[in-house]
Amino acid sequence: MFKRLEAICEKYQELQTELAKPEVMSDFNKLKELSKEASDLEETVNKYQEYKDTESKMEEAKSLMKDPELKEMAELEYEELKEKLANLTSELEILLIPKDENDGKNVIMEIRGAAGGDEANIFAGDLYRMYTYYAEKNNWKIEELHSIEGTSGGYSQVECLIKGADVYKKLKYESGSHRVQRVPVTETQGRVHTSTATVLVMPEVETANIEIKESDIKMDVYHSSGAGGQSVNTSNSAVRLTHIPTGVVVTCQTERSQLKNRDRAMNLLKIKINDAIKNKEEQELGATRKSKIGTGDRSEKIRTYNYPQNRVTDHRINFSIMSLDRVMDGELDPIIEALITEDMRLKLAGETFEQ
C-alpha cells in the first residue's frame, strides 16, 4: 500500500511542476486535463501526509515516555495518535480502491414493464416517479426522451436522461429486475399479485469517438405523441433508429425538429451500443458480471417492493427497510448507501460486487 502511496505523491508533484510551466498554462485543454488529474490525486496525497505527520508525532510521544514526569501524558497522547493512525489507514485503503471513471457522469435510464401485464406497466410508472422524486431531492435534472404508455396506466417503456453531480455513482446499482408484491387496482378479489419491471442504467459517455456506419442504421420517422401540445403531431418529427448488426433500437420524440431528434437518437444509440460492447468485453475477459436486465422473470430479481408489509428488500446484500412508502417518495439513500458500503467492503476484500 505504501509503495503505491509514494508513487501517487511522486506523480502529484510531477503534475504540479507541469502545471506551473508557461506552455501548459497557455494551453487550455492541457491545463484542464492535468488539473483534473492532479485534483483526483489531491485527497489521497493530503491524507497520506496526515498519516505521516501522525506517525511522526507518535514517535515523539514514544520518546517522551522515557521522561518520568511526562510519561503519563505521553502515553495518553500516544494512544490517541495510535487510534487516529488506524482510522487514517482505513481511509487510505478506501481512497486506493480504483475509482469508476463513470461515477461523475450523467445517466440514461430505461424502465420497462416486464412480467405481470398491465400491473407491470403500472409498476414501471411507479418506479419512474420514484426516480423522479429522488432526482429532485438531489437537485438533478431529469428529461424524458421516449415513452410508451401502458393501456391501464404507467409505461410499457420509458427512457430518460438524468443530469447532475455523481448521478451514475448513486444510480448504477439500480440496473436489474425489480419485483412488486401488492393488490393491483384491477384486482376485484383483493389478492396480492407479483409483477416485475426492469431498469437499465447507462453512463452518458462521450460519443464523438464511437463510430457507426450509416449503412448499418435503419431510420423510421412518425408523428410525435404525448406532451408538447397539438403542434407536435403536425409532422413526422419523431425518429426511430435501428442498428442492424446488434438489433439495438432507440427512439426520440422530445424535439419538434426531425433533425434534432435524429441527432439525439444517434447519441443514445451510440451509448447503448457502447454499453453492450463493454458488457461483452467483460464477459470475454471472464469478469463475474450478470446481465443488468435479465429476462424480467419473477425469479431474476434484485429488489422486492412488498406493499402489504411496507417493506423493501435488496436481495444482493440482504438488506431490508420497513418504509416502502417513503422509498417510493424518493427516499432511496438508505438503500443506495448500503449498496455503496457493501461494494467498498467487497473491493477491499478483493471480491466482486455483482450488479
Side-chain angles (χ1 to χ4, degrees):
M1 179 175 87
F2 295 105
K3 283 184 180 179
R4 285 181 65 193
L5 288 166
E6 290 293 342
I8 287 169
C9 289
E10 188 177 333
K11 177 65 175 176
Y12 182 76
Q13 290 304 321
E14 288 173 3
L15 288 167
Q16 294 300 319
T17 303
E18 284 293 308
L19 285 165
K21 292 180 178 179
E23 61 268 29
V24 173
M25 294 178 73
S26 61
D27 185 336
F28 176 76
N29 290 330
K30 189 69 174 175
L31 183 66
K32 184 180 176 183
E33 178 189 337
L34 294 179
S35 295
K36 185 184 182 306
E37 197 174 346
S39 177
D40 290 343
L41 300 177
E42 191 170 19
E43 185 181 0
T44 305
V45 170
N46 290 340
K47 192 67 67 178
Y48 184 44
Q49 186 58 53
E50 188 180 354
Y51 177 95
K52 290 195 289 186
D53 290 344
T54 303
E55 204 173 36
S56 178
K57 287 176 182 176
M58 282 179 69
E59 288 300 315
E60 290 175 15
K62 197 173 182 180
S63 298
L64 291 173
M65 287 181 202
K66 297 173 184 177
D67 188 329
E69 293 182 6
L70 300 173
K71 184 180 179 184
E72 188 177 345
M73 184 184 70
E75 284 177 346
L76 222 93
E77 185 182 2
Y78 183 86
E79 289 304 315
E80 288 176 0
L81 290 167
K82 185 179 178 182
E83 185 180 348
K84 183 180 178 181
L85 197 73
N87 291 335
L88 287 168
T89 302
S90 298
E91 289 173 22
L92 284 167
E93 285 175 345
I94 291 169
L95 286 170
L96 286 175
I97 294 173
K99 290 180 175 61
D100 187 333
E101 61 181 14
N102 293 320
D103 275 353
K105 292 180 179 175
N106 303 325
V107 306
I108 304 293
M109 177 179 279
E110 177 184 286
I111 305 171
R112 292 174 180 262
D118 287 342
E119 170 63 7
N121 293 340
I122 292 169
F123 179 50
D126 292 340
L127 288 177
Y128 181 49
R129 186 168 56 253
M130 176 186 77
Y131 291 122
T132 300
Y133 289 154
Y134 185 61
E136 289 172 358
K137 289 177 186 292
N138 283 277
N139 295 315
W140 298 338
K141 291 183 179 179
I142 187 163
E143 180 183 339
E144 189 174 308
L145 299 175
H146 170 63
S147 65
I148 303 172
E149 294 182 0
T151 54
S152 299
Y155 298 95
S156 64
Q157 179 184 350
V158 59
E159 294 181 11
C160 61
L161 169 64
I162 307 176
K163 297 180 179 180
D166 294 331
V167 180
Y168 186 73
K169 181 180 180 179
K170 291 190 173 184
L171 292 181
K172 63 183 175 183
Y173 304 106
E174 296 303 296
S175 290
S177 183
H178 296 239
R179 182 175 73 167
V180 63
Q181 294 174 326
R182 65 184 176 190
V183 178
V185 291
T186 54
E187 170 60 48
T188 57
Q189 297 181 29
R191 293 175 298 182
V192 173
H193 287 227
T194 298
S195 305
T196 61
T198 58
V199 176
L200 174 63
V201 176
M202 297 167 286
E204 188 189 30
V205 295
E206 176 59 53
T207 59
N209 298 324
I210 302 171
E211 293 185 9
I212 298 177
K213 294 178 182 177
E214 285 292 333
S215 57
D216 286 341
I217 298 172
K218 177 190 174 187
M219 184 173 89
D220 298 302
V221 294
Y222 56 95
H223 285 181
S224 296
S225 60
Q230 187 178 353
S231 61
V232 296
N233 296 307
T234 59
S235 64
N236 290 332
S237 59
V239 172
R240 181 188 300 111
L241 299 181
T242 304
H243 186 243
I244 298 167
T246 61
V248 174
V249 179
V250 298
T251 306
C252 188
Q253 59 182 37
T254 55
E255 305 289 343
R256 293 172 185 261
S257 158
Q258 183 187 118
L259 183 61
K260 287 181 180 178
N261 277 329
R262 189 188 187 282
D263 287 342
R264 297 198 71 171
M266 180 60 78
N267 280 336
L268 183 57
L269 185 68
K270 288 180 177 181
I271 289 168
K272 285 194 172 185
I273 290 172
N274 181 71
D275 187 69
I277 290 169
K278 292 290 183 186
N279 289 353
K280 186 179 179 183
E281 286 174 354
E282 288 177 6
Q283 288 166 0
E284 288 175 352
L285 288 169
T288 314
R289 180 192 176 111
K290 290 181 178 178
S291 170
K292 283 183 175 178
I293 291 186
T295 62
D297 288 343
R298 292 175 176 84
S299 59
E300 295 184 10
K301 59 188 183 295
I302 64 166
R303 192 176 296 154
T304 294
Y305 303 74
N306 186 298
Y307 276 73
Q309 297 178 19
N310 198 36
R311 184 185 68 233
V312 181
T313 300
D314 195 291
H315 305 284
R316 295 164 293 180
I317 57 175
N318 197 26
F319 176 87
S320 291
I321 186 168
M322 306 301 290
S323 56
L324 181 146
D325 51 340
R326 294 200 294 273
V327 169
M328 299 310 291
D329 283 339
E331 292 187 20
L332 273 166
D333 274 334
I335 300 171
I336 289 172
E337 286 168 8
L339 286 161
I340 291 172
T341 300
E342 178 64 6
D343 193 14
M344 282 189 173
R345 187 192 70 78
L346 291 173
K347 284 176 178 174
L348 282 171
E351 299 176 43
T352 302
F353 181 80
E354 293 183 349
Q355 291 175 213

